[in-house]
Amino acid sequence: MVYYSISIIAIVSTFLTIYALSLFLNSKTKIFNEVTLVGINKGCDIYKGSWVFDESYSLYNTSTCPFIEPSFDCQKNGRIDKDYFKYRWQPYGCNLPRFNGTELVLKYKGKRIMFVGDSLGQNQWVSLACMLHVSLPQAKYSMDKIGKIYTFTLLEYNIWLLFLGNPLIVDTITQKGSRVLKIDSISSGNIWKQMDVLIFNTWHWWDRKGQKQTWNVIQEGNITYKDMDRMELYKKGLNTWAKWADSNLNSTKTRIFFQGVSPDHEGCKGKTGPAQSPGIIHPGEIELEKVLKNISKLFIRLINITRLSQYRSDGHQSIYTNSMDCIHWCLPGVPDAWNQLLYHFLIS
């Protein structure tokens, strides 16, 4: 009778272990995308918080970072108020570690970190390059551009920070004088495989129409469309990327992130501080999260910058660039907070 009881207990214990493991494996992508971070505080959601004024900010400025893109440099372009770069994101119930560029460089010495996406990705790439340069001002660096690839390199540490301009992530080709959006094709992925860290982003180019639209026709397999619902098109593009990534990337070799949608604002002129409310949930972010949750093989971290950035209409370039711009961000500014989140994940 004793042996029988022990046997039953062992069987039940084994069953529960296997069941728990299967639940983990089936939900591993979801777990990796969740915002609960044991490394800070168990149960702390770093995306729930507020923007707090911090006199010690910003982390850099025009004089300490000589390679800020002219269009991102709102102070140089005549903006007088400075509060917009003195806010930092503060989660409720826990603290993010302050950015330490030396720690990041030592941890990723000899590594390649690549941003892939549109000019909002470039916005963030420049921000991180400035944050690293200011942390190690004596370190020799190079700044290069070859084709669509921008590279910032800290030479003695052999750390490469790259940006690849690929706004739609899927292919756009010229065929018989016509620009074709190949919604089910990715041909630029070979360079992604060579990276140690990848940060993807896409959204703003999917809704472009008229002269700003970057294609004439859409091709899916052997079927050609003149146009289609843009949200549906965006979802198709994301799913093409997800299938490619799931089949071609290895999350034991490469850390993979997808940046949430960077929100634009209808009115940003004259704004000088964070809004009281972020507004409605961004529809592009909803679709992105759905796609990421369906990825079965990879660990992919969603950096959900959308909601916290929706508070910050004051952080846009506004009139302090070539034309009115409520899409891109001043530097220093909001993208520095995105990199603070990225930094936390990279050193975790």
Side-chain angles (χ1 to χ4, degrees):
M1 187 69 174
V2 173
Y3 292 114
Y4 179 76
S5 299
I6 292 172
S7 177
I8 292 293
I9 292 170
I11 291 170
V12 171
S13 177
T14 301
F15 172 77
L16 290 174
T17 301
I18 293 171
Y19 178 68
L21 179 60
S22 69
L23 286 178
F24 170 75
L25 292 174
N26 288 332
S27 64
K28 65 181 180 179
T29 301
K30 180 181 177 183
I31 289 172
F32 207 66
N33 285 334
E34 280 178 352
V35 296
T36 301
L37 301 172
V38 178
I40 293 180
N41 258 351
K42 190 171 183 179
C44 177
D45 185 341
I46 60 171
Y47 301 121
K48 290 181 179 178
S50 63
W51 290 94
V52 299
F53 192 84
D54 189 331
E55 194 60 57
S56 69
Y57 272 49
S58 63
L59 300 176
Y60 58 90
N61 55 48
T62 303
S63 63
T64 57
C65 184
F67 43 78
I68 297 178
E69 289 282 328
S71 62
F72 299 155
D73 194 344
C74 296
Q75 290 287 299
K76 198 170 184 178
N77 293 332
R79 184 164 183 172
I80 298 173
D81 66 297
K82 297 182 179 180
D83 285 359
Y84 68 91
F85 58 67
K86 288 189 172 292
Y87 286 94
R88 62 174 172 82
W89 181 249
Q90 175 62 57
Y92 300 134
C94 58
N95 295 312
L96 290 168
R98 190 174 178 89
F99 183 83
N100 184 331
T102 302
E103 180 182 14
L104 184 62
V105 165
L106 291 175
K107 187 176 177 67
Y108 285 86
K109 187 175 183 179
K111 304 294 185 182
R112 298 184 179 191
I113 301 170
M114 175 177 273
F115 292 85
V116 181
D118 58 27
S119 51
L120 279 307
Q122 185 183 10
N123 221 170
Q124 186 179 3
W125 170 78
V126 173
S127 162
L128 186 54
C130 286
M131 292 164 75
L132 288 175
H133 173 65
V134 169
S135 297
L136 297 153
Q138 305 304 319
K140 292 182 180 179
Y141 70 88
S142 66
M143 181 74 77
D144 301 298
K145 179 180 183 293
I146 301 175
K148 296 181 179 180
I149 300 179
Y150 297 74
T151 307
F152 170 75
T153 309
L154 288 173
L155 301 173
E156 66 184 277
Y157 298 95
N158 193 29
I159 183 170
W160 296 46
L161 185 65
L162 306 101
F163 167 71
L164 172 59
N166 189 350
L168 301 170
I169 295 181
V170 297
D171 291 340
T172 305
I173 65 170
T174 300
Q175 209 169 56
K176 296 180 181 179
S178 180
R179 295 170 300 169
V180 182
L181 174 61
K182 295 177 73 68
I183 195 63
D184 57 355
S185 172
I186 290 177
S187 60
S188 60
N190 283 336
I191 193 170
W192 303 349
K193 296 178 187 179
Q194 301 170 32
M195 299 299 129
D196 300 288
V197 179
L198 287 165
I199 307 102
F200 294 93
N201 89 289
T202 187
W203 165 252
H204 287 279
W205 284 47
W206 292 97
D207 200 36
R208 288 187 170 193
K209 295 181 180 180
Q211 292 183 345
K212 291 184 176 181
Q213 183 174 299
T214 56
W215 67 85
N216 302 115
V217 294
I218 303 158
Q219 185 176 329
E220 184 176 20
N222 295 322
I223 303 173
T224 300
Y225 306 91
K226 184 65 178 175
D227 205 354
M228 69 169 63
D229 176 81
R230 294 309 176 86
M231 186 61 76
E232 186 63 28
L233 192 61
Y234 170 67
K235 288 191 285 185
K236 284 179 178 289
L238 286 177
N239 278 299
T240 295
W241 171 85
K243 289 175 185 176
W244 186 95
D246 222 11
S247 299
N248 291 277
L249 294 177
N250 182 349
S251 51
T252 61
K253 173 186 177 294
T254 306
R255 299 195 68 177
I256 308 159
F257 300 88
F258 212 110
Q259 189 80 308
V261 171
S262 172
D264 56 341
H265 291 85
E266 288 187 5
C268 65
K269 183 179 178 180
K271 303 292 184 181
T272 57
Q276 294 299 311
S277 169
I280 63 171
I281 298 174
H282 197 291
E285 183 67 17
I286 294 171
E287 297 304 329
L288 173 60
E289 291 184 21
K290 287 179 182 177
V291 169
L292 292 181
K293 285 178 181 178
N294 287 329
I295 293 176
S296 60
K297 298 176 184 176
L298 288 177
F299 287 117
I300 298 177
R301 172 76 72 184
L302 169 66
I303 306 180
N304 195 348
I305 54 100
T306 308
R307 198 74 171 157
L308 62 91
S309 302
Q310 285 180 303
Y311 288 96
R312 297 302 309 277
S313 61
D314 63 306
H316 289 297
Q317 294 173 11
S318 183
I319 59 173
Y320 304 103
T321 185
N322 298 326
S323 59
M324 185 67 183
D325 189 340
C326 293
I327 296 176
H328 299 93
W329 306 88
C330 296
L331 292 181
V334 172
D336 304 334
W338 306 347
N339 282 322
Q340 186 80 32
L341 297 170
L342 175 62
Y343 166 73
H344 167 74
F345 294 127
L346 288 176
I347 65 169
S348 295

